[in-house]
Amino acid sequence: MSRRIYQPELATKLAERGNISKRKSESFVRAFFDTIATGLSQDKLVKVKGFGTFKVVSVSPRESVNVNTGERITLEGHDKISFTPDPVLKELANKPFAQFQTMTLTDDVTEEELMKVAKRVEEELAQLDALMPNKDCPPAEEDRQETDIQNQAQPEGREDETVTEIESVPTATKDTSDEKPETVQKGESQETALTEADVPTTTPLAATSKTEGEELPMEKPEVTSADEAIPETGLQNEASTTIESETEDITYDDMPKKANPWKIAALILGAIALFLLGYEAGRRHIFEPTEQTAGVNDTAVATANDTTTKDTLRADTLQVQSKALPEEPATEAGTTTTPAAQTSQATALPTPQEENPAAVLPAHPKGNIDVKGLMGTHTLTKGESVASIARKYYGSTEYAPYIIRYNELKNPNVVHVGTKLKLPKLAVRN
Amino acid sequence: MTNKDFLSSMAAQTGMKKAEVQRLVQFLTATLAENMEDGDTTAIQGFGTFEMKKKLERIVVNPSTGQRQLVPPRQAISFKASATLKEKTL
């Protein structure tokens, strides 16, 4: 430990080092300090390169209090000798601690917190060790992750400059953490083995279980509503499961501790996004025709409105009739009272007619429309939908249900190009 | 008294060349530093003592930014002038 070295010893050491005679060394050492002393008394300042600066500093008088009596006394000003070591000497003397660097602390760390966290980490590690034999990996891991995230600013993080980064935390946790990762990895390798075994055999199950049910309720409507979208979603499921299993394996292998919750979350989000994308795409495809018609719908309504003004009187009477006979079967409807225009239309039907039916049929059917046999057929072309056909032949998209019912379409949202639609002959019931 | 003055004064006193003096001063400094590194105190009679003081790690706060920094422990050199030196110089 610390001992005192006197001038002779210093001289001896210097003689060895400088390869000079001991006598010379002794005289040199004496001369060295003598010169400094004389220099100080002369100039009040001595600078020696590589050693430091000796300076005479004056201390101004100051007031103080006598501790025993409580009296105010004045301490007289005096001079003192100060020594400021040269940076070179400082560095040499500080060699044992040279590897340390000043580092910035994060704001929310107090000394007590540091101690607390240290304790808690130890406890958790103990718990973890206790749990390890039972292979209770995932919950323990989750716990640890939570606590780690909470205690991002760790006391031991002092040595680690990136305290806020989660990944740096485990390295900075504790001495015992050296044991912990090994055990955790063991458990995880077991788990990965399990998942690997599960995934190929029970793909659909894995898909449902892993996507956390969020996909399921959304998936079902899609399946029912859009037949075309089914294979897509099926593919997606498979893809997502494969991706998931792969990424899970990767995460477990490479970053066994920290990346899991984030990766899984990102994975789930990605799966949902993919799913929504597919769903949206499917829907777009299905509703493409109707959207087109919706744009033109206003004009149709406008033309229909003109006709309705003409037929207001008739419509009124018809409504009264329909109220009187609310549930009259379509077959029993009077065939005699078909308007003249309607009949003429029926004869010329296979070619599309827009003016005549609109003139006859009201813009908004109110349950008083009868089906009177076949008017003609229409072969669907690209961009057409049931609604657009209804508007074309009957003047309003609101007549689409008649076409749907007449053709017994199971899914009117999906009609294929080339499908022959039978067009019912519609007439206002008298 | 600058380093130059010091060296010339030393040279005159010991009868050595300035370069030689400079070399020996370096060696002396190195020797002192070596002693201090071990935590030893070097006492020069009639001059003073060079002591090694251990400073603990501490947290410093930048008053303007409020940023806190952890200063690592270090060894610092302290010099205490002897009574003889004080008498001589002051």
Side-chain angles (χ1 to χ4, degrees), chain A residues 203-219 236-242 244 248 264 267-272 275:
Chain A
T203 316
L205 273 175
T208 52
S209 62
K210 274 175 190 168
T211 47
E212 298 200 345
E214 272 188 280
E215 241 181 71
L216 272 181
M218 296 178 69
E219 202 174 26
Q236 275 175 16
N237 278 343
E238 284 175 4
S240 63
T241 49
T242 49
E244 227 161 336
E248 268 183 355
I264 288 169
L267 219 70
I268 289 162
L269 278 176
I272 289 168
F275 172 77

Side-chain angles (χ1 to χ4, degrees), chain A residues 2 34 41 63 106 126 162 196 216 250 268 273 276 301 331 350 376 409 419:
Chain A
S2 96
D34 277 353
S41 59
E63 278 201 342
T106 45
T162 55
E196 276 174 348
L216 272 181
I250 288 161
I268 289 162
L276 283 174
V301 170
T331 49
L409 294 174
T419 306

